[in-house]
Amino acid sequence: EEFLAAFQARIDAEEKIEPTDPMPQGYRRTLIRQIGQHAHSEIVGMLPEGNWITRAPSLKRILALLAKVQDEGGHGLYLYSAAETLGVTREQMTEELHAGKAKYSSIFNYPALSWADMGAIGWLVDGAAIMNQVALCRCSYGPYARAMIRVCAEESFHQRQGYEIMLTLCNGTKEQKEMAQDALNRFWWPALMMFGPHDGDSAHSEQSMKWKIKRFSNDALREKFINATVPQAEFLGLTVPDPDLEWNEEKGGYEHGDINWDEFWRVVKGDGVMNRERVQMRKDAWDNGAWVREAALAHAQKRAAKIAAE
Amino acid sequence: EEFLAAFQARIDAEEKIEPTDPMPQGYRRTLIRQIGQHAHSEIVGMLPEGNWITRAPSLKRILALLAKVQDEGGHGLYLYSAAETLGVTREQMTEELHAGKAKYSSIFNYPALSWADMGAIGWLVDGAAIMNQVALCRCSYGPYARAMIRVCAEESFHQRQGYEIMLTLCNGTKEQKEMAQDALNRFWWPALMMFGPHDGDSAHSEQSMKWKIKRFSNDALREKFINATVPQAEFLGLTVPDPDLEWNEEKGGYEHGDINWDEFWRVVKGDGVMNRERVQMRKDAWDNGAWVREAALAHAQKRAAKIAAE
Amino acid sequence: MALYRALIELADDHLVLGHRLSEWCGHAPMLEEDLALSNFALDLIGTARSLYAYAAEVEGKGRTEDDLAYLRSEREYLNCLLVERPNGDFAHTMLREFYFATFMEPFWQAALASSDKVIAGIAGKAMKEMAYHLRHAGEWIVRLGDGTEESAARMQAAVVDLHPYWEELFSGGDCDVLPDRAAIRPAWEASVKAVFAEANLDWPEPVYGQNGGRDGMHSEVLGRMLSDMQYLQRAHPGATW
Amino acid sequence: MALYRALIELADDHLVLGHRLSEWCGHAPMLEEDLALSNFALDLIGTARSLYAYAAEVEGKGRTEDDLAYLRSEREYLNCLLVERPNGDFAHTMLREFYFATFMEPFWQAALASSDKVIAGIAGKAMKEMAYHLRHAGEWIVRLGDGTEESAARMQAAVVDLHPYWEELFSGGDCDVLPDRAAIRPAWEASVKAVFAEANLDWPEPVYGQNGGRDGMHSEVLGRMLSDMQYLQRAHPGATW
């Protein structure tokens, strides 16, 4: 009791919690789950874009896309490291992902069907991610907050890059513009779902807010995203696929139509178009690479033994 | 001695030798080798064309190519059956192919690099094969001769189909015509090599001729092929890639330039561009299919046991 | 345009499945199956060709069968997701074929009575072909399901993997001159379950059925198939082959 | 045109190898190697881009870097066969990279002194990158060759499989402002053999060296790579991306 109160006092004083500091089990567990999910999202998120690297339509675009996917891998690394400071190993987290126990952002269970999706994913998915991540830069857990600062700078670059792909398509041929509109149609609602359930329906929100793991509510971030994104769509000359979208002068923001939460929960629970394939791909990569990891370990041991013997 | 003389007398009298007839070991061995090679050639020959089925540029062409490759598989089946009448199993022959002990026609170690190759292979490779096969329809071994009669009818259809692909390309765009010329350039010499070494250098020829396994010499068939094919190339408006090619009024046929026998022997011995891949592909298909063949056998046994028990 | 759309759905189903089967060419577990699989592919692509030709005529915009096959993008393809599933192993390929043929055989049977003579004509040929696919694939389901331990495990794994995909067969555009697809479902389930019983296979618990194919919402594998298939046509616009 | 041709050969080598490496993306044995392999790909494709841009300028026909990469056919690609070899397993991929970098590092080193300032500029950056590829891949050759029994067997199998392909690295168009490729061979063999000794790998008996890449005579795998890569450009002629 006393410990919890003291801990909360540190949080309230905006002190950063560090790995060796005492912390409540629930705080640790929540962070492990959340950082793990976040790391997995970066790694699984490499796959839909990876699907287009070999088909990117110009040398410049190949390089940009490769660099972006590489950044995502790098983010995964920072985040796994941040989670490891809480006493879990990357291997454990990886196994949970492969067993379907750990989640990752549901958006990556939607397929990347056209080149325009490389634009839409950067613009909308990274855009939505940034809204969350900027807030996380001030998260109470130090290693997570610091990882987020590095991540955010790169993500906002990715978002601009995605938008620029959309802009090029929208200034292009009729087919290209249709491709862009189609990508917006397919990614708009899933992007809104990225912020999670409405505040009233969000399981872990209240405690996370109190612990300053989370600093803004799902709905608040979602609205911020919509308000930032709708004018960008207008500038592109694209139509946001929400007939109920309306400017509310009073609150100085948009009202949006109903989100299909059935779809959200279905995809979270594993029944999106790509869930099975995404996890299978990660599992295959891991399994096919087992002999390489074993060899690296065996070689390191041989080497250490040799040095010790000298 | 007496037996050999009597056997030769039957051959000379144009009698067909049948599976249950007594025959010299050498005759049997030669036929097993030759029919096996011929069967393997059909099977391996499915691969270069199989490489283009999924990329054939019209529905009509997909169907024609699929049907052609299917015919080749069918020829393989007849020929394996013909060889089996001589006391060897398909499995044994397959293992020899995979071990690199049995040969197949070297032409299939050249890659099929463009759609025009589907034309050139039909026109030149099937064309050269027919020259050999028509002669084999009168081979002294009954089952082989009869298999060849079925094969020949289909092959000549394939040859016409290949020529028609070339004709379409030659009547098409500049790029298409270049594609056709390029395919002719690459397949002309290997097609000439299909008839085997010059008569003087051919290891098994003399005995095979005596036994009427072979009825025309390599060079005779090669010349017949050239004489038939050069006017076809002219009709297409293509240039045969042999600067020494010349009409010889006296013998009423063409004289051709030197064949690169070093290349021939190199490819026969396993160092063509595609040798390793062709054999590996066949081996992979066989190995990956082992569980299917085992299951079929196990099921048949279960079934037989059930029927016996009833 | 209901007829055009329905024809395209069917044609795409046949072409995509035929294309997948043609990928087996030269790689089957035994020569006899190389022949059988190319036979399947020939039948399916042949039917696709007739359907595209008729769709082009119905559309009346001067497009040809090849325009429809080669110059539509992935998002314009309306095949169900089942037929685009990768070949996987022989068990997956045979099960996919079995599901498809168990649907198409009664479909064409019913289409024989269509008031549209072109459709009835296509149905007459296709029905017989599908009856053969159904028999051949069904025999393999039983052989593999009731073969070795390994083959039974692989066959059951294929059943689980394809379970989200069969329901979409019964969806798609309605039109007067084609049979009602949904009506075929009860017979389909009964036939499949009968074969499964003979093959000692378990029918899995219901899962959420993946669909979207009829709206051109595919998984990521179709795009790669089309880029392979359409490459030459795309690289040489307007050429004749 | 000797310079144009030599630039295209080098550019194609870099692009094709970079493309192969990019196929690994998301599938590597560990996250660190996902990053390393995309790094390799980035370096190689980046260099390819500079080389194509310069080739286009040298050619002087108004073509762009993307025209050269996306609108040439398989038969116009002049890369050596080594770089188009399929990825195979991690051992094959690392060995292919090791062979390539062991050639390119001294090549660029020598090119620093080129009288052609553009080439010297490209060389300055590429040389450092290749030194890193060489080190990273070389370390893996040793780790895998001297790791477990399985990894040693796989590494040795890769050596045998790629043995027909390394000689072609030393072939290709001569031109004044680029280093002599054949001259690099002795140093290449010495470096490779030194690493093999450390890795307990056997250098195989000589085999016939496959070549033909420099004449656009490839194996069957390049065509499929290009149909994937070029599809969008081909499907939308003249579009800007």
Side-chain angles (χ1 to χ4, degrees):
Chain A
E1 289 297 299
E2 209 171 317
F3 165 64
L4 284 181
F7 183 78
Q8 188 63 48
R10 290 191 61 193
I11 298 276
D12 292 342
E14 296 286 336
E15 278 181 46
K16 286 280 176 265
I17 309 301
E18 295 299 331
T20 51
D21 293 347
M23 62 185 91
Q25 272 311 314
Y27 181 83
R28 186 184 298 272
R29 263 203 311 271
T30 302
L31 274 167
I32 288 179
R33 185 175 44 81
Q34 183 174 328
I35 304 176
Q37 278 184 21
H38 196 157
H40 297 325
S41 298
E42 297 284 354
I43 301 311
V44 177
M46 296 168 78
L47 298 174
E49 289 167 308
N51 185 39
W52 282 90
I53 289 175
T54 60
R55 288 180 285 174
S58 76
L59 295 171
K60 190 184 111 187
R61 294 292 181 200
I62 301 181
L63 291 170
L65 192 57
L66 253 174
K68 181 184 175 195
V69 175
Q70 193 190 34
D71 283 347
E72 287 160 3
H75 299 172
L77 265 188
Y78 311 155
L79 287 161
Y80 283 126
S81 302
E84 286 185 320
T85 63
L86 292 158
V88 63
T89 67
R90 203 208 295 183
E91 200 146 27
Q92 284 173 313
M93 291 183 273
T94 302
E95 277 163 16
E96 284 191 357
L97 173 67
H98 296 172
K101 281 181 210 156
K103 301 283 178 220
Y104 53 86
S105 181
S106 250
I107 192 89
F108 301 119
N109 292 316
Y110 291 84
L113 297 181
S114 82
W115 171 253
D117 292 11
M118 299 303 99
I121 290 174
W123 173 37
L124 302 173
V125 177
D126 290 68
I130 292 169
M131 292 289 163
N132 274 317
Q133 288 165 1
V134 166
L136 286 169
C137 292
R138 290 172 52 224
C139 163
S140 61
Y141 188 60
Y144 192 23
R146 289 189 291 273
M148 277 302 109
I149 292 170
R150 287 178 75 176
V151 168
C152 278
E154 292 178 356
E155 292 281 19
S156 78
F157 177 72
H158 296 164
Q159 202 241 354
R160 283 200 304 279
Q161 186 175 287
Y163 190 71
E164 199 264 319
I165 289 176
M166 294 301 271
L167 195 58
T168 305
L169 293 174
C170 290
N171 290 331
T173 65
K174 185 171 150 287
E175 287 80 13
Q176 286 178 306
K177 183 147 190 189
E178 282 169 5
M179 216 185 259
Q181 178 67 55
D182 177 57
L184 172 58
N185 293 347
R186 286 181 288 108
F187 280 96
W188 175 256
W189 291 105
L192 296 194
M193 293 179 199
M194 284 176 71
F195 296 95
H198 286 309
D199 296 343
D201 307 324
S202 182
H204 310 286
S205 272
E206 204 182 334
Q207 180 63 65
S208 286
M209 295 280 273
K210 215 173 134 203
W211 275 335
K212 298 191 178 167
I213 292 173
K214 201 167 165 159
R215 306 202 60 133
F216 297 93
S217 81
N218 294 351
D219 286 328
L221 289 170
R222 183 163 24 234
E223 282 187 25
K224 201 170 158 203
F225 172 75
I226 294 174
N227 293 340
T229 309
V230 170
Q232 294 170 348
E234 282 166 3
F235 182 78
L236 293 173
L238 297 178
T239 308
V240 172
D242 177 357
D244 299 325
L245 190 79
E246 212 173 2
W247 178 255
N248 182 328
E249 193 60 54
E250 213 168 309
K251 73 169 185 183
Y254 285 93
E255 304 281 2
H256 62 81
D258 288 341
I259 292 174
N260 182 346
W261 294 112
D262 288 347
E263 176 180 318
F264 174 75
W265 289 114
R266 176 165 63 71
V267 179
V268 167
K269 283 173 184 153
D271 283 326
V273 187
M274 299 299 293
N275 296 58
R276 289 170 182 81
E277 280 163 70
R278 297 289 187 233
V279 173
Q280 192 61 46
M281 263 189 203
R282 289 306 315 160
K283 224 170 112 36
D284 288 347
W286 187 252
D287 294 346
N288 294 337
W291 69 273
V292 177
R293 296 191 303 276
E294 283 158 20
L297 198 68
H299 181 76
Q301 286 166 347
K302 280 187 197 179
R303 201 154 187 143
K306 210 180 280 172
I307 290 168
E310 271 162 17
Chain B
E1 288 298 298
E2 209 171 316
F3 165 65
L4 283 181
F7 183 78
Q8 190 61 48
R10 289 191 62 192
I11 299 275
D12 292 343
E14 295 288 336
E15 276 181 46
K16 287 279 178 263
I17 310 300
E18 295 300 331
T20 51
D21 293 347
M23 62 185 91
Q25 272 311 315
Y27 181 82
R28 186 184 298 273
R29 264 203 310 273
T30 303
L31 274 168
I32 287 178
R33 184 176 43 80
Q34 183 174 328
I35 304 176
Q37 278 184 21
H38 196 159
H40 297 326
S41 298
E42 297 284 353
I43 302 310
V44 176
M46 295 168 78
L47 298 173
E49 289 167 308
N51 185 40
W52 283 90
I53 289 176
T54 60
R55 289 181 283 175
S58 75
L59 294 171
K60 189 183 112 187
R61 294 293 182 201
I62 300 180
L63 291 170
L65 192 56
L66 253 173
K68 183 185 173 193
V69 176
Q70 192 190 33
D71 284 347
E72 288 161 2
H75 299 171
L77 263 188
Y78 311 156
L79 287 161
Y80 283 127
S81 301
E84 285 185 320
T85 63
L86 293 157
V88 63
T89 67
R90 204 210 293 183
E91 201 145 29
Q92 284 173 313
M93 290 183 274
T94 301
E95 277 162 17
E96 287 192 355
L97 173 67
H98 297 173
K101 283 182 209 155
K103 301 284 178 220
Y104 52 87
S105 181
S106 251
I107 192 90
F108 301 119
N109 293 315
Y110 291 84
L113 297 181
S114 81
W115 171 251
D117 292 12
M118 299 303 100
I121 289 175
W123 173 37
L124 301 174
V125 177
D126 291 68
I130 292 169
M131 293 289 166
N132 274 316
Q133 288 165 1
V134 165
L136 286 169
C137 292
R138 290 173 51 225
C139 162
S140 62
Y141 187 60
Y144 192 24
R146 288 189 291 273
M148 277 303 108
I149 292 170
R150 286 178 76 173
V151 167
C152 277
E154 291 178 356
E155 293 281 20
S156 78
F157 176 73
H158 297 164
Q159 201 241 355
R160 283 200 304 278
Q161 187 176 288
Y163 190 71
E164 199 264 320
I165 289 175
M166 294 300 272
L167 196 57
T168 305
L169 293 173
C170 290
N171 290 331
T173 65
K174 185 170 151 287
E175 286 79 12
Q176 285 177 307
K177 183 148 190 186
E178 282 168 6
M179 215 184 260
Q181 179 66 56
D182 178 57
L184 172 59
N185 293 348
R186 287 181 288 108
F187 280 96
W188 175 257
W189 292 105
L192 296 192
M193 294 179 199
M194 284 177 71
F195 296 95
H198 286 311
D199 296 342
D201 307 322
S202 183
H204 309 287
S205 273
E206 204 183 334
Q207 180 65 64
S208 285
M209 295 281 273
K210 215 174 134 204
W211 275 334
K212 298 191 179 166
I213 292 173
K214 202 166 165 160
R215 307 204 59 134
F216 297 93
S217 82
N218 294 351
D219 286 328
L221 289 172
R222 184 161 25 234
E223 283 187 26
K224 203 172 157 200
F225 172 75
I226 295 175
N227 293 341
T229 309
V230 171
Q232 293 170 348
E234 282 166 2
F235 183 78
L236 292 173
L238 297 178
T239 308
V240 172
D242 177 356
D244 299 325
L245 190 79
E246 212 172 4
W247 177 255
N248 182 326
E249 194 60 53
E250 214 169 310
K251 74 168 184 180
Y254 285 92
E255 304 281 0
H256 62 83
D258 289 341
I259 292 173
N260 183 344
W261 294 111
D262 288 348
E263 176 179 317
F264 174 76
W265 290 114
R266 175 166 62 73
V267 179
V268 166
K269 282 172 185 155
D271 282 328
V273 187
M274 299 300 292
N275 296 58
R276 290 169 182 81
E277 280 163 71
R278 297 288 188 233
V279 174
Q280 192 61 46
M281 263 189 204
R282 288 308 314 162
K283 225 169 112 35
D284 288 347
W286 187 251
D287 294 346
N288 293 337
W291 69 273
V292 177
R293 296 190 303 275
E294 284 158 20
L297 199 67
H299 180 76
Q301 286 166 347
K302 280 188 198 178
R303 200 151 187 147
K306 211 182 279 173
I307 289 167
E310 272 161 17
Chain C
M1 289 312 273
L3 176 57
Y4 170 76
R5 196 188 160 83
L7 289 169
I8 291 290
E9 290 170 358
L10 291 169
D12 289 348
D13 281 357
H14 282 74
L15 179 59
V16 169
L17 184 56
H19 194 277
R20 279 284 183 241
L21 290 167
S22 78
E23 292 169 3
W24 270 102
C25 185
H27 307 285
M30 57 191 87
L31 198 41
E32 287 79 357
E33 290 309 305
D34 258 317
L35 301 185
L37 292 169
S38 21
N39 226 30
F40 285 1
L42 277 167
D43 290 343
L44 291 164
I45 299 172
T47 301
R49 199 180 164 196
S50 308
L51 290 165
Y52 284 129
Y54 189 39
E57 191 189 319
V58 167
E59 189 192 35
K61 292 185 182 166
R63 292 207 278 183
T64 66
E65 59 185 48
D66 286 328
D67 292 341
L68 292 176
Y70 286 89
L71 302 177
R72 280 181 307 134
S73 74
E74 176 185 2
R75 292 279 287 112
E76 296 168 290
Y77 261 71
L78 304 181
N79 59 280
C80 61
L81 302 178
L82 175 70
V83 296
E84 75 192 43
R85 297 311 304 150
N87 284 334
D89 65 11
F90 192 69
H92 282 78
T93 291
M94 279 297 162
L95 185 66
R96 189 184 56 194
E97 194 64 23
F98 176 63
Y99 283 173
F100 187 71
T102 305
F103 172 70
M104 289 310 302
E105 196 267 343
F107 179 89
W108 290 126
Q109 182 89 47
L112 280 178
S114 174
S115 60
D116 183 317
K117 290 302 154 218
V118 180
I119 287 172
I122 295 172
K125 183 164 169 291
M127 191 194 72
K128 283 175 217 142
E129 292 167 353
M130 283 299 134
Y132 165 68
H133 294 209
L134 177 50
R135 198 169 60 244
H136 187 88
E139 283 168 5
W140 273 110
I141 306 305
V142 173
R143 241 176 246 135
L144 298 177
D146 185 27
T148 61
E149 214 172 298
E150 180 180 5
S151 73
R154 282 176 180 265
M155 198 65 242
Q156 187 68 49
V159 170
V160 171
D161 287 349
L162 295 183
H163 206 51
Y165 298 104
W166 58 266
E167 269 189 74
E168 200 185 7
L169 284 169
F170 308 103
S171 75
D174 262 341
C175 88
D176 298 346
V177 294
L178 281 166
D180 178 12
R181 302 186 209 184
I184 295 169
R185 182 166 170 167
W188 187 93
E189 289 198 42
S191 304
V192 168
K193 285 177 186 171
V195 171
F196 276 29
E198 203 187 331
N200 300 327
L201 292 168
D202 293 325
W203 184 248
E205 294 296 306
V207 295
Y208 179 84
Q210 293 299 331
N211 48 50
R214 303 298 184 209
D215 301 315
M217 302 279 264
H218 298 277
S219 64
E220 287 172 0
V221 291
L222 184 67
R224 289 187 181 267
M225 177 194 285
L226 294 183
S227 68
D228 193 50
M229 185 178 105
Q230 298 181 338
Y231 180 75
L232 270 178
Q233 280 271 357
R234 301 289 197 176
H236 301 269
T240 302
W241 299 95
Chain D
M1 290 309 276
L3 175 57
Y4 169 76
R5 195 188 161 84
L7 289 169
I8 290 291
E9 289 171 358
L10 291 169
D12 290 347
D13 281 357
H14 283 73
L15 179 59
V16 170
L17 184 56
H19 194 276
R20 278 283 183 243
L21 290 166
S22 78
E23 292 169 2
W24 270 102
C25 186
H27 307 285
M30 56 192 87
L31 199 40
E32 287 79 357
E33 291 309 307
D34 258 317
L35 301 184
L37 292 170
S38 21
N39 226 31
F40 285 1
L42 277 167
D43 290 344
L44 291 164
I45 299 172
T47 302
R49 199 179 163 197
S50 309
L51 290 165
Y52 284 129
Y54 189 39
E57 190 189 320
V58 167
E59 189 192 35
K61 292 186 181 167
R63 292 207 280 184
T64 66
E65 60 186 47
D66 286 328
D67 292 341
L68 293 174
Y70 286 88
L71 301 177
R72 281 181 306 133
S73 74
E74 175 183 3
R75 291 281 286 112
E76 295 169 291
Y77 260 72
L78 303 181
N79 59 280
C80 62
L81 301 179
L82 176 71
V83 297
E84 74 192 42
R85 296 312 302 151
N87 284 333
D89 64 12
F90 192 70
H92 282 77
T93 290
M94 279 298 162
L95 185 66
R96 189 184 56 194
E97 194 65 22
F98 176 64
Y99 283 173
F100 186 72
T102 305
F103 171 71
M104 289 311 302
E105 196 268 344
F107 179 88
W108 291 127
Q109 181 87 47
L112 280 178
S114 174
S115 61
D116 183 318
K117 289 303 152 218
V118 180
I119 287 171
I122 294 172
K125 182 165 170 292
M127 191 195 72
K128 285 175 218 142
E129 292 167 354
M130 282 300 134
Y132 165 69
H133 294 210
L134 178 49
R135 198 169 60 244
H136 187 88
E139 282 167 5
W140 273 110
I141 305 305
V142 173
R143 240 176 248 135
L144 298 177
D146 185 28
T148 62
E149 213 172 297
E150 180 180 5
S151 73
R154 282 175 179 265
M155 197 66 241
Q156 187 67 49
V159 170
V160 171
D161 287 349
L162 295 183
H163 206 50
Y165 299 104
W166 58 266
E167 270 190 74
E168 200 186 6
L169 284 169
F170 308 104
S171 75
D174 262 341
C175 89
D176 299 345
V177 293
L178 281 165
D180 178 12
R181 302 186 209 184
I184 295 170
R185 181 167 171 165
W188 187 93
E189 289 197 42
S191 303
V192 168
K193 285 176 186 170
V195 170
F196 275 29
E198 203 188 331
N200 300 327
L201 292 168
D202 294 325
W203 182 248
E205 294 297 306
V207 295
Y208 179 83
Q210 293 299 331
N211 48 50
R214 302 298 184 209
D215 301 315
M217 303 278 265
H218 298 277
S219 63
E220 288 172 0
V221 292
L222 183 67
R224 290 188 181 268
M225 177 194 285
L226 294 183
S227 68
D228 192 49
M229 184 177 106
Q230 298 181 338
Y231 180 75
L232 269 178
Q233 280 270 358
R234 301 289 198 176
H236 300 269
T240 302
W241 299 94

